[in-house]
Amino acid sequence: MIIRKLAENEFDLAIKLSEYAFQYKVKQEDLPKRYKMLKRHEIWGEFEEDGELIAKLHILSLETNVEEQRFSMGGIAGVATWPEHRRKGSVTRLLKHALQTMKENGQTISLLHPFNIEFYRRFGWELTASVNKYTLEKNDLFRYSDALGKVIRLSKEDGNAQLNSVYEQWFKKYNHLLIRPDYWWDNHVFTEGYNRILYCDEHGEPTGYLCCKAAEKLLDVQEFVYVTEEARRGLWNFIAQHDSMVDKVKIVAPSSDQLPYLLNNPRIQQETYPYFMARIVDVEEFLKQYPLKETSDSLTLTVKDEKAEWNNGTITVSPEGISFDQASCSGDLQLDIQTLTAVLLGAQNPAFLFECGKIKGRFEKVETLKKIITNQPTAFIDFF
């Protein structure tokens, strides 16, 4: 077996495997756009000696955040194997190779959308972002009287600057979000049929937007983003104005969202859906960028990573700074790479992880850990 990067003239091999594995068909007229997109990916495949592609995965070069610090991120996508070659270790070998590749690329963290959460936990990824999915009946819609701004329907030709300005203000509240280049808005956010609905306040400042589509008596709201209460009300009024057009409204929001509380009838259909996973690829380099809070106490964390041995060792945090010692294994607290990732992103409370045995050691040091890490929640509303 040979693992190597696919050349541009082999993109059709990757497309055919994705079509079979994920059960869709790329239209002939859409192939040029698909080739252009794949040029942005680093596609690794496992091949037989005769050149047949057995399995593949894609690494996307992206960025994510913790508080206002941005991190180079490797997005794992398109993981697929032909059925006749499954359960022979191809994906295991490709994921191990991807970890090494991302480390060499300086991508200190990786995100992915799992087909199976348990499977990817074996390789060090952990569930770090969920979404709330709401389904409202038309009778649940009502209107506010105090939204003084204006709703504007944008076209693709209007560009994404106003939308991105709202998004970047909004994401200061969260960790783990995707920094969106201009091409991402056009190709991954506003896909076919979805409308760009911008809300501007009475001074003309953009303060919110919707990504939504009305079809077959359903209003599908994939993004409901706002930075002021007035914008929330104004966008909600736009949603409510569809009451004569649709029977239902579906809204996707971060898991910390509180929309049901604001409804006249909070007893709507709602689901919290475990969505994206993350894993720190390079502990030492990640910590060099991480926005740790100042501390007068010292703390040592011993990390175990079965798939990336360079992460095994002990982190020391003290008033003098941070250090990482691969030779040490006697920290105040002991945890695996999955748990460290969840903690440092703010996806889980360290006290809970201690109670359920994911963190071992001295409980008083858990309190020290809580004081120096982020207290912002995680969110993720993109897909790859």
Side-chain angles (χ1 to χ4, degrees):
M1 302 297 180
I2 300 168
I3 292 178
R4 63 171 176 81
K5 195 185 300 186
L6 271 68
E8 288 186 23
N9 63 4
E10 296 176 306
F11 283 172
D12 282 331
L13 298 177
I15 291 171
K16 288 177 182 177
L17 177 48
S18 286
E19 286 179 326
Y20 192 91
F22 305 120
Q23 300 173 47
Y24 67 87
K25 183 68 178 175
V26 180
K27 297 177 183 177
Q28 191 69 28
E29 60 267 28
D30 292 337
L31 281 173
K33 183 178 179 181
R34 181 59 61 101
Y35 294 145
K36 184 177 179 180
M37 180 190 74
L38 292 179
K39 287 180 182 180
R40 298 182 184 275
H41 298 189
E42 194 171 326
I43 309 175
W44 289 91
E46 185 171 77
F47 293 80
E48 289 193 317
E49 292 183 3
D50 62 3
E52 180 189 356
L53 177 65
I54 295 171
K56 60 149 182 102
L57 63 72
H58 303 220
I59 303 175
L60 285 66
S61 181
L62 299 165
E63 289 184 291
T64 189
N65 73 306
V66 177
E67 297 185 359
E68 295 193 38
Q69 181 63 50
R70 297 185 175 194
F71 295 81
S72 179
M73 183 265 283
I76 300 294
V79 181
T81 309
W82 287 107
E84 59 269 31
H85 295 292
R86 286 179 186 159
R87 296 179 176 85
K88 297 177 182 178
S90 294
V91 170
T92 294
R93 290 185 289 271
L94 282 170
L95 285 170
K96 287 181 178 179
H97 183 84
L99 287 170
Q100 182 67 52
T101 298
M102 289 188 288
K103 182 179 187 296
E104 293 169 359
N105 290 344
Q107 295 161 330
T108 59
I109 187 167
S110 174
L111 269 62
L112 59 79
H113 180 259
F115 78 95
N116 182 295
I117 290 171
E118 181 186 13
F119 177 83
Y120 282 104
R121 276 178 168 162
R122 292 183 226 154
F123 295 92
W125 277 265
E126 184 52 88
L127 179 66
T128 44
S130 298
V131 291
N132 286 347
K133 295 184 176 183
Y134 306 124
T135 301
L136 297 88
E137 303 294 330
K138 62 191 301 181
N139 293 335
D140 296 318
L141 302 177
F142 61 91
R143 285 174 288 281
Y144 295 101
S145 60
D146 55 350
L148 304 177
K150 183 179 180 181
V151 169
I152 302 171
R153 187 183 299 271
L154 300 178
S155 68
K156 186 175 180 179
E157 288 67 35
D158 292 313
N160 303 306
Q162 294 181 97
L163 297 163
N164 198 56
S165 70
V166 175
Y167 176 77
E168 292 208 340
Q169 291 178 68
W170 175 77
F171 95 20
K172 291 178 182 178
K173 302 189 299 183
Y174 300 101
N175 299 325
H176 192 281
L177 284 167
L178 187 69
I179 286 83
R180 289 175 169 175
D182 196 55
Y183 79 86
W184 193 269
W185 284 96
D186 290 333
N187 296 291
H188 297 275
V189 180
F190 292 102
T191 51
E192 186 175 354
Y194 282 88
N195 298 289
R196 305 161 189 246
I197 305 300
L198 181 70
Y199 183 86
C200 295
D201 66 18
E202 57 185 320
H203 305 293
E205 289 296 317
T207 52
Y209 74 84
L210 297 175
C211 173
C212 60
K213 176 173 67 174
E216 299 178 354
K217 308 294 282 185
L218 169 70
L219 180 64
D220 179 15
V221 181
Q222 285 296 311
E223 297 193 12
F224 185 175
V225 172
Y226 51 87
V227 294
T228 67
E229 172 60 14
E230 180 198 320
R232 186 193 71 79
R233 292 175 179 234
L235 292 171
W236 175 262
N237 283 352
F238 176 82
I239 292 171
Q241 295 286 22
H242 289 76
D243 57 350
S244 64
M245 296 171 53
V246 302
D247 295 327
K248 294 181 184 292
V249 176
K250 290 189 176 183
I251 299 175
V252 179
S255 58
S256 58
D257 179 77
Q258 294 293 314
L259 173 64
Y261 180 79
L262 301 172
L263 299 176
N264 294 333
N265 172 30
R267 289 178 174 172
I268 60 170
Q269 181 181 331
Q270 48 191 297
E271 172 193 4
T272 298
Y273 176 74
Y275 188 43
F276 251 71
M277 301 181 80
R279 79 107 79 207
I280 296 171
V281 172
D282 189 329
V283 167
E284 185 171 11
E285 293 302 315
F286 184 83
L287 286 170
K288 287 179 181 178
Q289 294 180 266
Y290 187 83
L292 282 170
K293 310 298 187 287
E294 291 185 6
T295 178
S296 57
D297 299 323
S298 63
L299 173 68
T300 53
L301 304 170
T302 295
V303 182
K304 182 178 180 181
D305 189 339
E306 294 181 351
K307 304 300 181 183
E309 66 281 353
W310 56 83
N311 289 329
N312 290 317
T314 297
I315 305 160
T316 299
V317 182
S318 69
E320 288 72 42
I322 306 169
S323 62
F324 183 67
D325 183 0
Q326 285 188 298
S328 174
C329 58
S330 56
D332 300 319
L333 301 174
Q334 300 89 46
L335 65 173
D336 59 24
I337 192 67
Q338 298 97 310
T339 305
L340 181 70
T341 300
V343 164
L344 293 185
L345 291 178
Q348 292 292 343
N349 187 315
F352 163 72
L353 294 171
F354 182 88
E355 289 172 6
C356 65
K358 296 288 187 180
I359 297 177
K360 301 184 185 300
R362 298 159 53 193
F363 182 73
E364 61 269 24
K365 289 298 183 179
V366 174
E367 294 301 311
T368 303
L369 177 59
K370 287 175 65 176
K371 291 175 184 177
I372 63 175
I373 61 174
T374 182
N375 59 10
Q376 290 187 171
T378 58
F380 199 79
I381 57 174
D382 282 286
F383 179 81
F384 51 79

